[in-house]
Amino acid sequence: MGDKNWYTNKDLFEEILEMQKGFRDMRIEMKETRTMIRQYNGLREEIEVVRREVDDMRARTEGRQSVGKATREWGGWLVAILALVIAFL
């Protein structure tokens, strides 16, 4: 019953200093974490902008291809009709 662990003032003071140091280290880590999260969010925004630009480029390319395809498919008919109209005149 007499073997209770009591700490001296010096031991308590050292423990408190260690806890303060731990809190300081934790604050530094939290600051770094916030910085990393901010950077990550910035990268996500940039990726979203690039994704929209790529989608826009794809849409333009598909539009050009469809116009080219229509020109190739219907161009002959157009020339034939014009030739027929000119022949009648």
Side-chain angles (χ1 to χ4, degrees), residues 12-56:
L12 292 174
F13 180 74
E14 288 173 354
E15 285 293 320
I16 289 171
L17 287 179
E18 276 298 314
M19 285 176 54
Q20 285 178 341
K21 183 179 179 243
F23 286 138
R24 253 184 263 126
D25 293 344
M26 188 169 55
R27 273 185 288 214
I28 290 171
E29 289 177 13
M30 288 178 69
K31 184 178 180 181
E32 290 172 355
T33 301
R34 282 192 301 267
T35 301
M36 291 173 71
I37 289 172
R38 222 176 284 121
Q39 289 173 343
Y40 173 77
N41 288 337
L43 287 174
R44 288 190 64 191
E45 291 170 4
E46 287 181 34
I47 287 172
E48 183 62 27
V49 167
V50 170
R51 187 188 63 77
R52 276 190 241 126
E53 289 175 357
V54 168
D55 288 345
D56 186 45

Side-chain angles (χ1 to χ4, degrees), residues 62-80 82:
E62 289 174 9
R64 285 184 190 137
Q65 288 174 346
S66 67
V67 167
K69 182 179 177 183
T71 302
R72 281 191 308 273
E73 290 176 357
W74 293 98
W77 284 102
L78 183 63
V79 169
L82 286 175

